[in-house]
Amino acid sequence: MKLTKKSHACVRLEKDGRTLVMDPGMFTEEDAVRGADALFVTHEHPDHFDEGRLRAALEANGAAEIWTLRSVAEQLSAAFPGRVHTVGHGDAFTAAGFDVQVHGELHAVIHPDIPRITNVGFLVDGSVFHPGDALTVPDHPVDTLLLPVMAPWNKISEVIDYVREVKPRRAYDIHDALLTDLARPIYDRQIGALGGTDHSRLAPGASAEL
C-alpha cells in the first residue's frame, strides 16, 4: 500500500490500482481528491470536510462513494443517492478493495463550554489508523498511526502518551497545518524520543510504501 500525505489531515492510500482519500478539508490541495474511488470523512469541521471538493470528486467519478458519519452524510446523500454511506463505531465494511473498521464516537474536548460533536476513526486493512480529531485507541493492533500532532484540542504530552498507548510500529504526522516550521523540530525531537516508536513526517505530496 502506498501512502501519500496531503496538507493538514488528508492522506491518500493506493493499492491494486484503487485510491482511498481521507479527510480532504479546506487546507488540503485541490488535487487531493483527484481519481478517488472512495472517500472517508471523520467529522464535520471544515479542515476535514470540504463539501465542494467532495461533490466535485463524486461528479468526476460516477463510481466514487463516500463513507462518513451522519452529520456529513446528510449534506450529500440527497444529491448522490446510494453513494453516501453513514457509519459509526463498531462498523466494518469494504470500500474500493480496502477492508475498514470504524473506531471512536466523539471529537476530543476543545473546551468544556463547546459541545462535543461526533468523530469517527478509520482503521484500513487492519493496519493504517486515521483517528480524525480524537485520541481514540482501537481495540486492534495498529501498524501505521496517522498522528494528529497539533490542534486547538491537544498538547504535545497528550500526543506522546497517545503514541505510547496505541503502540504502532510507525507514526506519521497529520493535522499539522497550524504547526510552524520553527516548531516542527521540537515536535519531531520530543515525539521521536519519548513516543517509543518510529516517528516520521512527510511533506505534502511525499509518499511512503507501507
Side-chain angles (χ1 to χ4, degrees), residues 16-173:
D16 299 332
R18 309 298 298 279
T19 299
L20 163 62
V21 177
M22 294 191 276
D23 276 9
M26 66 180 184
F27 299 142
T28 305
E29 299 85 354
E30 291 290 340
D31 67 354
V33 298
R34 185 176 299 160
D37 300 293
L39 300 117
F40 295 173
V41 179
T42 62
H43 65 288
E44 65 199 69
H45 286 161
D47 57 327
H48 296 254
F49 166 50
D50 185 310
E51 182 177 351
R53 293 183 193 189
L54 292 178
R55 286 179 177 271
L58 292 175
E59 289 166 357
N61 179 2
E65 299 180 57
I66 294 178
W67 283 261
T68 186
L69 69 172
R70 185 174 305 280
S71 60
V72 171
E74 288 175 345
Q75 300 182 56
L76 297 165
S77 56
F80 303 98
R83 299 170 62 192
V84 181
H85 311 279
T86 301
V87 296
H89 176 69
D91 288 343
F93 60 94
T94 299
F98 297 88
D99 294 323
V100 186
Q101 298 174 358
V102 182
H103 296 270
E105 299 179 83
L106 289 172
H107 191 288
V109 175
I110 301 172
H111 187 277
D113 290 352
I114 300 175
R116 296 174 74 183
I117 62 171
T118 304
N119 177 96
V120 294
F122 296 100
L123 179 64
V124 180
D125 281 353
S127 172
V128 180
F129 185 56
H130 191 311
D133 274 9
L135 300 180
T136 302
V137 179
D139 56 358
H140 186 289
V142 173
D143 186 72
T144 301
L145 176 63
L146 302 176
L147 181 65
V149 291
M150 198 279 179
W153 49 265
N154 73 11
K155 56 185 179 181
I156 196 166
S157 63
E158 296 171 334
V159 174
I160 291 166
D161 287 345
Y162 182 51
V163 175
R164 289 178 171 182
E165 189 171 4
V166 176
K167 298 181 176 68
R169 189 163 67 87
R170 66 171 74 88
Y172 287 111
D173 288 354

